[in-house]
Amino acid sequence: MAAPADKTDPFDPFGVAAAMTGWCCLLKAAQEIRDIDQEMMETMMEADAAAPAGLSPEACAKLQGVVSLMRRLQLDPEAVRRSEPETMRALESACRACGARSRCERELRAGTAARTYPDFCPNAARLDRLRHA
């Protein structure tokens, strides 16, 4: 039961309980932010470990596009990397040099990349060969 605004609480005349409640809310929010940061850091570390050595963050971001597209096409990028490393290197190289990056990202976000990639992707022929192999 809350005390009226014009009367002081007889059990808490200095407002310590109200101040503690506010602090508890702030501490809880801070803990949630720390948890989010930890999860984000773990995700970044996993991505770093999976990235090929010596690539810039921009190049890694571009490579994520080909990996995402392969997954949308029901291709396993890691299986292709193991079984056909030269093909995967060619896919990654073409993706890094691609001039249609913004369209690729837009199509991936919209969920239409699996249908439209032959129109803009320099890897279309390689991906089709992998899909039909």
Side-chain angles (χ1 to χ4, degrees), residues 46-118:
E46 288 171 8
D48 239 8
L55 291 180
S56 69
E58 294 82 18
C60 288
K62 285 184 177 183
L63 295 182
Q64 193 59 36
V66 75
V67 169
S68 296
L69 181 56
M70 290 176 78
R71 288 188 179 132
R72 298 268 167 88
L73 296 170
Q74 279 84 41
L75 294 170
D76 182 2
E78 292 309 313
V80 172
R81 190 179 306 280
R82 283 188 303 273
S83 65
E84 299 184 47
E86 62 284 340
T87 300
M88 195 64 187
R89 280 192 295 274
L91 287 166
E92 291 171 342
S93 177
C95 191
R96 280 194 304 268
C98 181
R101 177 93 176 126
S102 61
R103 179 167 182 197
C104 182
E105 288 175 351
R106 191 172 51 249
E107 298 285 346
L108 284 167
R109 275 194 309 272
T112 57
R115 281 193 328 256
T116 61
Y117 77 95

Short mmCIF file of all heavy atoms in Angstrom, two decimals, residues 46-118:
data_model
loop_
_atom_site.label_atom_id
_atom_site.label_comp_id
_atom_site.label_asym_id
_atom_site.label_seq_id
_atom_site.Cartn_x
_atom_site.Cartn_y
_atom_site.Cartn_z
N GLU A 46 33.00 -15.97 -31.69
CA GLU A 46 32.73 -17.12 -32.55
C GLU A 46 32.90 -16.73 -34.01
O GLU A 46 33.47 -17.48 -34.79
CB GLU A 46 31.31 -17.63 -32.31
CG GLU A 46 31.13 -18.34 -31.00
CD GLU A 46 29.67 -18.65 -30.70
OE1 GLU A 46 28.80 -18.44 -31.58
OE2 GLU A 46 29.40 -19.09 -29.58
N ALA A 47 32.41 -15.56 -34.38
CA ALA A 47 32.54 -15.10 -35.76
C ALA A 47 34.01 -14.88 -36.11
O ALA A 47 34.45 -15.19 -37.22
CB ALA A 47 31.76 -13.81 -35.97
N ASP A 48 34.78 -14.35 -35.16
CA ASP A 48 36.21 -14.13 -35.37
C ASP A 48 36.93 -15.46 -35.59
O ASP A 48 37.80 -15.56 -36.45
CB ASP A 48 36.81 -13.44 -34.15
CG ASP A 48 37.44 -12.12 -34.50
OD1 ASP A 48 37.28 -11.68 -35.66
OD2 ASP A 48 38.09 -11.54 -33.62
N ALA A 49 36.57 -16.46 -34.81
CA ALA A 49 37.22 -17.76 -34.92
C ALA A 49 36.89 -18.43 -36.26
O ALA A 49 37.72 -19.13 -36.82
CB ALA A 49 36.78 -18.66 -33.78
N ALA A 50 35.69 -18.16 -36.78
CA ALA A 50 35.27 -18.79 -38.03
C ALA A 50 35.80 -18.04 -39.25
O ALA A 50 35.80 -18.58 -40.34
CB ALA A 50 33.75 -18.86 -38.09
N ALA A 51 36.24 -16.80 -39.08
CA ALA A 51 36.70 -15.99 -40.21
C ALA A 51 38.08 -16.45 -40.67
O ALA A 51 38.93 -16.77 -39.86
CB ALA A 51 36.74 -14.53 -39.81
N PRO A 52 38.28 -16.46 -41.96
CA PRO A 52 39.61 -16.80 -42.47
C PRO A 52 40.64 -15.79 -41.98
O PRO A 52 40.35 -14.60 -41.86
CB PRO A 52 39.44 -16.71 -44.00
CG PRO A 52 37.98 -16.84 -44.24
CD PRO A 52 37.31 -16.27 -43.02
N ALA A 53 41.84 -16.25 -41.72
CA ALA A 53 42.89 -15.40 -41.16
C ALA A 53 43.32 -14.33 -42.14
O ALA A 53 43.32 -14.53 -43.35
CB ALA A 53 44.09 -16.26 -40.78
N GLY A 54 43.66 -13.17 -41.61
CA GLY A 54 44.21 -12.10 -42.41
C GLY A 54 43.20 -11.24 -43.14
O GLY A 54 43.59 -10.41 -43.95
N LEU A 55 41.93 -11.42 -42.91
CA LEU A 55 40.92 -10.62 -43.60
C LEU A 55 40.48 -9.46 -42.73
O LEU A 55 40.36 -9.59 -41.52
CB LEU A 55 39.70 -11.47 -43.96
CG LEU A 55 39.90 -12.52 -45.03
CD1 LEU A 55 38.60 -13.25 -45.28
CD2 LEU A 55 40.40 -11.92 -46.32
N SER A 56 40.19 -8.35 -43.39
CA SER A 56 39.68 -7.19 -42.68
C SER A 56 38.25 -7.44 -42.24
O SER A 56 37.57 -8.32 -42.80
CB SER A 56 39.74 -5.96 -43.59
OG SER A 56 38.78 -6.11 -44.62
N PRO A 57 37.74 -6.67 -41.27
CA PRO A 57 36.33 -6.82 -40.87
C PRO A 57 35.37 -6.60 -42.04
O PRO A 57 34.35 -7.27 -42.13
CB PRO A 57 36.15 -5.76 -39.80
CG PRO A 57 37.52 -5.53 -39.25
CD PRO A 57 38.45 -5.74 -40.42
N GLU A 58 35.72 -5.68 -42.95
CA GLU A 58 34.85 -5.44 -44.11
C GLU A 58 34.79 -6.67 -45.01
O GLU A 58 33.73 -7.04 -45.50
CB GLU A 58 35.35 -4.23 -44.91
CG GLU A 58 35.27 -2.91 -44.18
CD GLU A 58 36.45 -2.68 -43.23
OE1 GLU A 58 37.50 -3.34 -43.37
OE2 GLU A 58 36.29 -1.84 -42.34
N ALA A 59 35.94 -7.28 -45.22
CA ALA A 59 35.98 -8.48 -46.06
C ALA A 59 35.21 -9.62 -45.41
O ALA A 59 34.50 -10.36 -46.08
CB ALA A 59 37.43 -8.90 -46.32
N CYS A 60 35.33 -9.74 -44.09
CA CYS A 60 34.58 -10.78 -43.38
C CYS A 60 33.08 -10.54 -43.50
O CYS A 60 32.30 -11.48 -43.65
CB CYS A 60 34.98 -10.81 -41.90
SG CYS A 60 36.63 -11.49 -41.65
N ALA A 61 32.67 -9.28 -43.44
CA ALA A 61 31.25 -8.95 -43.58
C ALA A 61 30.76 -9.33 -44.97
O ALA A 61 29.65 -9.85 -45.13
CB ALA A 61 31.01 -7.47 -43.31
N LYS A 62 31.59 -9.09 -45.98
CA LYS A 62 31.20 -9.46 -47.34
C LYS A 62 31.08 -10.97 -47.46
O LYS A 62 30.16 -11.48 -48.12
CB LYS A 62 32.21 -8.93 -48.35
CG LYS A 62 32.10 -7.46 -48.61
CD LYS A 62 33.06 -7.04 -49.68
CE LYS A 62 32.89 -5.56 -49.98
NZ LYS A 62 33.76 -5.13 -51.08
N LEU A 63 31.99 -11.70 -46.84
CA LEU A 63 31.94 -13.16 -46.91
C LEU A 63 30.70 -13.70 -46.21
O LEU A 63 30.20 -14.76 -46.58
CB LEU A 63 33.20 -13.77 -46.29
CG LEU A 63 34.49 -13.47 -47.03
CD1 LEU A 63 35.66 -14.18 -46.35
CD2 LEU A 63 34.41 -13.85 -48.49
N GLN A 64 30.21 -12.99 -45.23
CA GLN A 64 28.99 -13.42 -44.55
C GLN A 64 27.82 -13.47 -45.53
O GLN A 64 26.93 -14.28 -45.40
CB GLN A 64 28.68 -12.48 -43.37
CG GLN A 64 27.64 -13.02 -42.44
CD GLN A 64 28.01 -14.36 -41.83
OE1 GLN A 64 29.16 -14.63 -41.53
NE2 GLN A 64 27.03 -15.20 -41.65
N GLY A 65 27.86 -12.60 -46.54
CA GLY A 65 26.80 -12.60 -47.56
C GLY A 65 26.76 -13.91 -48.33
O GLY A 65 25.69 -14.48 -48.52
N VAL A 66 27.90 -14.40 -48.78
CA VAL A 66 27.92 -15.65 -49.54
C VAL A 66 27.52 -16.82 -48.64
O VAL A 66 26.82 -17.73 -49.08
CB VAL A 66 29.26 -15.89 -50.25
CG1 VAL A 66 30.35 -16.32 -49.31
CG2 VAL A 66 29.10 -16.92 -51.35
N VAL A 67 27.93 -16.78 -47.39
CA VAL A 67 27.56 -17.85 -46.45
C VAL A 67 26.04 -17.83 -46.22
O VAL A 67 25.40 -18.88 -46.25
CB VAL A 67 28.34 -17.69 -45.12
CG1 VAL A 67 27.78 -18.59 -44.05
CG2 VAL A 67 29.82 -17.98 -45.35
N SER A 68 25.48 -16.65 -46.02
CA SER A 68 24.02 -16.55 -45.82
C SER A 68 23.26 -17.02 -47.05
O SER A 68 22.27 -17.73 -46.93
CB SER A 68 23.63 -15.10 -45.51
OG SER A 68 24.20 -14.69 -44.30
N LEU A 69 23.74 -16.62 -48.22
CA LEU A 69 23.08 -17.04 -49.45
C LEU A 69 23.16 -18.54 -49.62
O LEU A 69 22.17 -19.20 -49.98
CB LEU A 69 23.70 -16.33 -50.66
CG LEU A 69 23.09 -16.66 -52.02
CD1 LEU A 69 21.59 -16.39 -52.04
CD2 LEU A 69 23.80 -15.88 -53.12
N MET A 70 24.31 -19.13 -49.32
CA MET A 70 24.45 -20.58 -49.43
C MET A 70 23.47 -21.29 -48.50
O MET A 70 22.83 -22.28 -48.89
CB MET A 70 25.88 -21.00 -49.11
CG MET A 70 26.89 -20.58 -50.16
SD MET A 70 28.59 -20.97 -49.71
CE MET A 70 28.62 -22.73 -50.07
N ARG A 71 23.32 -20.78 -47.30
CA ARG A 71 22.37 -21.40 -46.37
C ARG A 71 20.94 -21.28 -46.87
O ARG A 71 20.15 -22.20 -46.72
CB ARG A 71 22.53 -20.78 -44.99
CG ARG A 71 23.82 -21.22 -44.33
CD ARG A 71 23.91 -20.77 -42.90
NE ARG A 71 25.16 -21.24 -42.32
CZ ARG A 71 26.00 -20.49 -41.64
NH1 ARG A 71 25.71 -19.22 -41.40
NH2 ARG A 71 27.12 -21.00 -41.17
N ARG A 72 20.60 -20.14 -47.48
CA ARG A 72 19.25 -19.97 -48.03
C ARG A 72 19.00 -20.94 -49.18
O ARG A 72 17.86 -21.30 -49.45
CB ARG A 72 19.05 -18.53 -48.52
CG ARG A 72 19.17 -17.49 -47.44
CD ARG A 72 17.83 -17.16 -46.82
NE ARG A 72 17.96 -16.40 -45.60
CZ ARG A 72 18.04 -15.09 -45.52
NH1 ARG A 72 17.99 -14.37 -46.61
NH2 ARG A 72 18.15 -14.49 -44.35
N LEU A 73 20.08 -21.34 -49.84
CA LEU A 73 19.96 -22.29 -50.95
C LEU A 73 20.12 -23.74 -50.48
O LEU A 73 20.28 -24.64 -51.28
CB LEU A 73 21.02 -21.98 -52.01
CG LEU A 73 20.89 -20.62 -52.70
CD1 LEU A 73 22.12 -20.33 -53.54
CD2 LEU A 73 19.62 -20.57 -53.53
N GLN A 74 20.07 -23.95 -49.16
CA GLN A 74 20.25 -25.27 -48.55
C GLN A 74 21.60 -25.89 -48.87
O GLN A 74 21.72 -27.10 -49.06
CB GLN A 74 19.13 -26.24 -48.92
CG GLN A 74 17.87 -26.08 -48.13
CD GLN A 74 16.97 -25.00 -48.69
OE1 GLN A 74 16.82 -24.90 -49.88
NE2 GLN A 74 16.36 -24.24 -47.81
N LEU A 75 22.63 -25.05 -48.94
CA LEU A 75 24.01 -25.52 -49.11
C LEU A 75 24.73 -25.29 -47.79
O LEU A 75 24.52 -24.26 -47.14
CB LEU A 75 24.72 -24.74 -50.21
CG LEU A 75 24.21 -24.93 -51.63
CD1 LEU A 75 24.85 -23.92 -52.57
CD2 LEU A 75 24.49 -26.35 -52.10
N ASP A 76 25.56 -26.24 -47.40
CA ASP A 76 26.31 -26.12 -46.16
C ASP A 76 27.69 -25.56 -46.48
O ASP A 76 28.53 -26.25 -47.06
CB ASP A 76 26.44 -27.48 -45.49
CG ASP A 76 27.17 -27.43 -44.17
OD1 ASP A 76 27.56 -26.32 -43.73
OD2 ASP A 76 27.37 -28.50 -43.56
N PRO A 77 27.95 -24.28 -46.09
CA PRO A 77 29.24 -23.66 -46.42
C PRO A 77 30.43 -24.42 -45.85
O PRO A 77 31.47 -24.54 -46.51
CB PRO A 77 29.15 -22.26 -45.81
CG PRO A 77 27.75 -22.04 -45.46
CD PRO A 77 27.08 -23.37 -45.38
N GLU A 78 30.30 -24.96 -44.66
CA GLU A 78 31.42 -25.69 -44.04
C GLU A 78 31.67 -27.00 -44.77
O GLU A 78 32.82 -27.41 -44.94
CB GLU A 78 31.16 -25.92 -42.56
CG GLU A 78 31.20 -24.64 -41.74
CD GLU A 78 32.46 -23.81 -41.99
OE1 GLU A 78 33.58 -24.37 -41.99
OE2 GLU A 78 32.32 -22.60 -42.20
N ALA A 79 30.62 -27.67 -45.21
CA ALA A 79 30.80 -28.91 -45.97
C ALA A 79 31.48 -28.62 -47.31
O ALA A 79 32.36 -29.37 -47.74
CB ALA A 79 29.45 -29.59 -46.19
N VAL A 80 31.07 -27.52 -47.96
CA VAL A 80 31.71 -27.14 -49.22
C VAL A 80 33.17 -26.77 -48.97
O VAL A 80 34.05 -27.15 -49.74
CB VAL A 80 30.94 -25.96 -49.88
CG1 VAL A 80 31.70 -25.42 -51.09
CG2 VAL A 80 29.54 -26.39 -50.27
N ARG A 81 33.43 -26.07 -47.87
CA ARG A 81 34.81 -25.68 -47.54
C ARG A 81 35.69 -26.92 -47.36
O ARG A 81 36.85 -26.95 -47.76
CB ARG A 81 34.83 -24.83 -46.27
CG ARG A 81 36.17 -24.18 -45.99
CD ARG A 81 36.16 -23.32 -44.75
NE ARG A 81 35.14 -22.30 -44.72
CZ ARG A 81 35.20 -21.12 -45.36
NH1 ARG A 81 36.25 -20.84 -46.09
NH2 ARG A 81 34.23 -20.26 -45.26
N ARG A 82 35.13 -27.98 -46.74
CA ARG A 82 35.90 -29.20 -46.52
C ARG A 82 36.06 -30.03 -47.80
O ARG A 82 37.15 -30.51 -48.10
CB ARG A 82 35.24 -30.06 -45.44
CG ARG A 82 35.45 -29.58 -44.04
CD ARG A 82 34.94 -30.57 -43.01
NE ARG A 82 33.53 -30.92 -43.16
CZ ARG A 82 32.52 -30.23 -42.63
NH1 ARG A 82 32.76 -29.17 -41.91
NH2 ARG A 82 31.28 -30.61 -42.83
N SER A 83 34.97 -30.17 -48.56
CA SER A 83 35.02 -31.06 -49.72
C SER A 83 35.57 -30.38 -50.97
O SER A 83 36.20 -31.05 -51.80
CB SER A 83 33.62 -31.62 -50.02
OG SER A 83 32.74 -30.57 -50.38
N GLU A 84 35.33 -29.08 -51.12
CA GLU A 84 35.79 -28.36 -52.30
C GLU A 84 36.40 -27.01 -51.90
O GLU A 84 35.82 -25.96 -52.15
CB GLU A 84 34.63 -28.12 -53.27
CG GLU A 84 33.98 -29.39 -53.78
CD GLU A 84 32.91 -29.10 -54.81
OE1 GLU A 84 33.17 -28.30 -55.73
OE2 GLU A 84 31.82 -29.66 -54.67
N PRO A 85 37.56 -27.02 -51.25
CA PRO A 85 38.13 -25.77 -50.76
C PRO A 85 38.42 -24.75 -51.87
O PRO A 85 38.25 -23.56 -51.66
CB PRO A 85 39.42 -26.20 -50.05
CG PRO A 85 39.70 -27.58 -50.53
CD PRO A 85 38.40 -28.17 -50.95
N GLU A 86 38.80 -25.24 -53.05
CA GLU A 86 39.08 -24.30 -54.14
C GLU A 86 37.81 -23.61 -54.62
O GLU A 86 37.83 -22.42 -54.96
CB GLU A 86 39.81 -24.98 -55.31
CG GLU A 86 39.04 -26.10 -55.98
CD GLU A 86 39.00 -27.42 -55.20
OE1 GLU A 86 39.83 -27.64 -54.32
OE2 GLU A 86 38.10 -28.22 -55.48
N THR A 87 36.70 -24.32 -54.62
CA THR A 87 35.42 -23.71 -54.99
C THR A 87 35.01 -22.66 -53.95
O THR A 87 34.56 -21.57 -54.31
CB THR A 87 34.32 -24.79 -55.12
OG1 THR A 87 34.70 -25.73 -56.13
CG2 THR A 87 32.98 -24.17 -55.47
N MET A 88 35.21 -22.99 -52.68
CA MET A 88 34.85 -22.03 -51.63
C MET A 88 35.72 -20.79 -51.72
O MET A 88 35.22 -19.67 -51.56
CB MET A 88 34.97 -22.69 -50.25
CG MET A 88 34.30 -21.92 -49.16
SD MET A 88 32.53 -21.84 -49.45
CE MET A 88 32.06 -20.72 -48.16
N ARG A 89 37.00 -20.96 -52.02
CA ARG A 89 37.88 -19.79 -52.19
C ARG A 89 37.42 -18.93 -53.36
O ARG A 89 37.45 -17.71 -53.30
CB ARG A 89 39.33 -20.23 -52.37
CG ARG A 89 40.01 -20.57 -51.06
CD ARG A 89 41.52 -20.71 -51.22
NE ARG A 89 41.89 -21.84 -52.08
CZ ARG A 89 42.04 -23.08 -51.64
NH1 ARG A 89 41.85 -23.38 -50.37
NH2 ARG A 89 42.39 -24.05 -52.47
N ALA A 90 37.00 -19.58 -54.44
CA ALA A 90 36.51 -18.83 -55.61
C ALA A 90 35.22 -18.08 -55.27
O ALA A 90 35.04 -16.93 -55.67
CB ALA A 90 36.28 -19.78 -56.78
N LEU A 91 34.33 -18.73 -54.52
CA LEU A 91 33.10 -18.06 -54.09
C LEU A 91 33.41 -16.83 -53.23
O LEU A 91 32.84 -15.76 -53.43
CB LEU A 91 32.22 -19.04 -53.28
CG LEU A 91 31.51 -20.13 -54.05
CD1 LEU A 91 30.97 -21.19 -53.09
CD2 LEU A 91 30.39 -19.55 -54.88
N GLU A 92 34.32 -17.01 -52.28
CA GLU A 92 34.68 -15.91 -51.39
C GLU A 92 35.37 -14.78 -52.14
O GLU A 92 35.10 -13.60 -51.89
CB GLU A 92 35.58 -16.42 -50.26
CG GLU A 92 34.85 -17.33 -49.30
CD GLU A 92 35.76 -18.03 -48.31
OE1 GLU A 92 36.99 -18.10 -48.55
OE2 GLU A 92 35.24 -18.50 -47.28
N SER A 93 36.23 -15.13 -53.08
CA SER A 93 36.94 -14.11 -53.86
C SER A 93 35.96 -13.29 -54.69
O SER A 93 36.05 -12.06 -54.73
CB SER A 93 37.98 -14.79 -54.76
OG SER A 93 38.62 -13.85 -55.55
N ALA A 94 35.03 -13.96 -55.35
CA ALA A 94 34.04 -13.25 -56.15
C ALA A 94 33.14 -12.38 -55.27
O ALA A 94 32.78 -11.27 -55.64
CB ALA A 94 33.20 -14.24 -56.95
N CYS A 95 32.82 -12.86 -54.10
CA CYS A 95 31.96 -12.12 -53.17
C CYS A 95 32.68 -10.85 -52.68
O CYS A 95 32.07 -9.78 -52.59
CB CYS A 95 31.55 -12.99 -52.00
SG CYS A 95 30.26 -12.27 -50.97
N ARG A 96 33.97 -10.97 -52.39
CA ARG A 96 34.73 -9.79 -51.93
C ARG A 96 34.81 -8.72 -53.00
O ARG A 96 34.82 -7.54 -52.71
CB ARG A 96 36.14 -10.19 -51.49
CG ARG A 96 36.18 -10.78 -50.11
CD ARG A 96 37.61 -10.85 -49.59
NE ARG A 96 38.52 -11.59 -50.45
CZ ARG A 96 38.78 -12.89 -50.34
NH1 ARG A 96 38.22 -13.60 -49.39
NH2 ARG A 96 39.63 -13.47 -51.16
N ALA A 97 34.86 -9.13 -54.27
CA ALA A 97 34.99 -8.18 -55.38
C ALA A 97 33.64 -7.73 -55.93
O ALA A 97 33.59 -6.92 -56.85
CB ALA A 97 35.81 -8.82 -56.49
N CYS A 98 32.56 -8.22 -55.38
CA CYS A 98 31.22 -7.95 -55.90
C CYS A 98 30.84 -6.47 -55.81
O CYS A 98 31.07 -5.82 -54.80
CB CYS A 98 30.19 -8.80 -55.14
SG CYS A 98 28.50 -8.56 -55.74
N GLY A 99 30.19 -5.98 -56.85
CA GLY A 99 29.72 -4.60 -56.86
C GLY A 99 28.25 -4.47 -56.51
O GLY A 99 27.72 -3.36 -56.43
N ALA A 100 27.58 -5.58 -56.30
CA ALA A 100 26.15 -5.56 -55.99
C ALA A 100 25.90 -5.86 -54.52
O ALA A 100 24.89 -6.45 -54.15
CB ALA A 100 25.41 -6.57 -56.87
N ARG A 101 26.81 -5.44 -53.67
CA ARG A 101 26.72 -5.75 -52.23
C ARG A 101 25.42 -5.24 -51.60
O ARG A 101 24.77 -5.95 -50.85
CB ARG A 101 27.93 -5.13 -51.52
CG ARG A 101 27.92 -5.31 -50.05
CD ARG A 101 28.69 -6.56 -49.70
NE ARG A 101 28.74 -6.67 -48.27
CZ ARG A 101 28.35 -7.75 -47.63
NH1 ARG A 101 27.92 -8.78 -48.29
NH2 ARG A 101 28.42 -7.81 -46.34
N SER A 102 25.04 -4.02 -51.92
CA SER A 102 23.83 -3.46 -51.29
C SER A 102 22.59 -4.23 -51.74
O SER A 102 21.70 -4.48 -50.94
CB SER A 102 23.68 -1.97 -51.59
OG SER A 102 23.57 -1.76 -52.98
N ARG A 103 22.53 -4.61 -53.01
CA ARG A 103 21.37 -5.39 -53.46
C ARG A 103 21.35 -6.76 -52.78
O ARG A 103 20.31 -7.24 -52.36
CB ARG A 103 21.38 -5.55 -54.97
CG ARG A 103 20.18 -6.38 -55.40
CD ARG A 103 19.90 -6.35 -56.85
NE ARG A 103 18.71 -7.15 -57.13
CZ ARG A 103 18.40 -7.58 -58.32
NH1 ARG A 103 19.15 -7.25 -59.37
NH2 ARG A 103 17.32 -8.31 -58.50
N CYS A 104 22.52 -7.36 -52.67
CA CYS A 104 22.61 -8.67 -52.02
C CYS A 104 22.09 -8.59 -50.58
O CYS A 104 21.27 -9.41 -50.17
CB CYS A 104 24.06 -9.15 -52.03
SG CYS A 104 24.30 -10.78 -51.31
N GLU A 105 22.56 -7.61 -49.84
CA GLU A 105 22.10 -7.44 -48.46
C GLU A 105 20.60 -7.20 -48.39
O GLU A 105 19.91 -7.76 -47.55
CB GLU A 105 22.84 -6.28 -47.79
CG GLU A 105 24.29 -6.60 -47.49
CD GLU A 105 25.04 -5.40 -46.94
OE1 GLU A 105 24.50 -4.27 -46.94
OE2 GLU A 105 26.19 -5.60 -46.51
N ARG A 106 20.10 -6.37 -49.31
CA ARG A 106 18.66 -6.07 -49.34
C ARG A 106 17.85 -7.33 -49.63
O ARG A 106 16.84 -7.61 -48.97
CB ARG A 106 18.41 -4.99 -50.39
CG ARG A 106 17.05 -4.39 -50.36
CD ARG A 106 16.89 -3.18 -51.30
NE ARG A 106 17.34 -3.43 -52.67
CZ ARG A 106 18.41 -2.88 -53.23
NH1 ARG A 106 19.17 -2.05 -52.55
NH2 ARG A 106 18.74 -3.15 -54.48
N GLU A 107 18.30 -8.13 -50.59
CA GLU A 107 17.59 -9.36 -50.96
C GLU A 107 17.66 -10.39 -49.82
O GLU A 107 16.68 -11.07 -49.53
CB GLU A 107 18.17 -9.96 -52.23
CG GLU A 107 18.06 -9.08 -53.45
CD GLU A 107 16.66 -9.01 -54.04
OE1 GLU A 107 15.80 -9.84 -53.70
OE2 GLU A 107 16.43 -8.10 -54.85
N LEU A 108 18.81 -10.46 -49.15
CA LEU A 108 18.94 -11.39 -48.02
C LEU A 108 18.00 -10.98 -46.88
O LEU A 108 17.33 -11.83 -46.29
CB LEU A 108 20.38 -11.44 -47.52
CG LEU A 108 21.35 -12.24 -48.40
CD1 LEU A 108 22.78 -11.97 -47.99
CD2 LEU A 108 21.04 -13.72 -48.34
N ARG A 109 17.95 -9.67 -46.58
CA ARG A 109 17.05 -9.20 -45.52
C ARG A 109 15.58 -9.45 -45.86
O ARG A 109 14.78 -9.80 -45.01
CB ARG A 109 17.26 -7.70 -45.26
CG ARG A 109 18.37 -7.39 -44.30
CD ARG A 109 18.31 -5.94 -43.84
NE ARG A 109 18.20 -4.98 -44.91
CZ ARG A 109 19.23 -4.42 -45.55
NH1 ARG A 109 20.46 -4.73 -45.21
NH2 ARG A 109 19.03 -3.55 -46.52
N ALA A 110 15.24 -9.26 -47.13
CA ALA A 110 13.86 -9.44 -47.56
C ALA A 110 13.48 -10.91 -47.69
O ALA A 110 12.30 -11.24 -47.79
CB ALA A 110 13.63 -8.73 -48.90
N GLY A 111 14.48 -11.80 -47.71
CA GLY A 111 14.21 -13.22 -47.85
C GLY A 111 13.99 -13.66 -49.29
O GLY A 111 13.46 -14.74 -49.54
N THR A 112 14.37 -12.82 -50.24
CA THR A 112 14.15 -13.14 -51.66
C THR A 112 15.43 -13.53 -52.39
O THR A 112 15.38 -13.82 -53.58
CB THR A 112 13.52 -11.92 -52.37
OG1 THR A 112 14.38 -10.80 -52.19
CG2 THR A 112 12.14 -11.60 -51.80
N ALA A 113 16.54 -13.54 -51.71
CA ALA A 113 17.84 -13.79 -52.36
C ALA A 113 17.90 -15.16 -53.03
O ALA A 113 18.52 -15.30 -54.09
CB ALA A 113 18.97 -13.63 -51.36
N ALA A 114 17.26 -16.15 -52.45
CA ALA A 114 17.31 -17.50 -53.03
C ALA A 114 16.64 -17.55 -54.41
O ALA A 114 16.98 -18.40 -55.23
CB ALA A 114 16.65 -18.50 -52.09
N ARG A 115 15.72 -16.64 -54.67
CA ARG A 115 15.05 -16.57 -55.98
C ARG A 115 15.76 -15.64 -56.94
O ARG A 115 15.80 -15.90 -58.14
CB ARG A 115 13.61 -16.07 -55.81
CG ARG A 115 12.63 -17.08 -55.35
CD ARG A 115 11.20 -16.57 -55.52
NE ARG A 115 11.08 -15.12 -55.35
CZ ARG A 115 10.59 -14.53 -54.27
NH1 ARG A 115 10.16 -15.24 -53.27
NH2 ARG A 115 10.52 -13.22 -54.20
N THR A 116 16.30 -14.55 -56.43
CA THR A 116 16.79 -13.48 -57.30
C THR A 116 18.30 -13.46 -57.51
O THR A 116 18.79 -12.69 -58.32
CB THR A 116 16.36 -12.11 -56.76
OG1 THR A 116 16.92 -11.93 -55.46
CG2 THR A 116 14.85 -12.00 -56.69
N TYR A 117 19.06 -14.29 -56.79
CA TYR A 117 20.52 -14.21 -56.88
C TYR A 117 21.06 -14.36 -58.30
O TYR A 117 22.08 -13.74 -58.64
CB TYR A 117 21.20 -15.20 -55.92
CG TYR A 117 21.19 -16.62 -56.39
CD1 TYR A 117 22.26 -17.16 -57.08
CD2 TYR A 117 20.10 -17.45 -56.15
CE1 TYR A 117 22.26 -18.47 -57.51
CE2 TYR A 117 20.08 -18.75 -56.57
CZ TYR A 117 21.16 -19.25 -57.26
OH TYR A 117 21.14 -20.54 -57.70
N PRO A 118 20.43 -15.16 -59.21
CA PRO A 118 20.99 -15.25 -60.56
C PRO A 118 21.02 -13.91 -61.30
O PRO A 118 21.81 -13.72 -62.22
CB PRO A 118 20.06 -16.24 -61.27
CG PRO A 118 19.47 -17.06 -60.18
CD PRO A 118 19.32 -16.10 -59.03
#
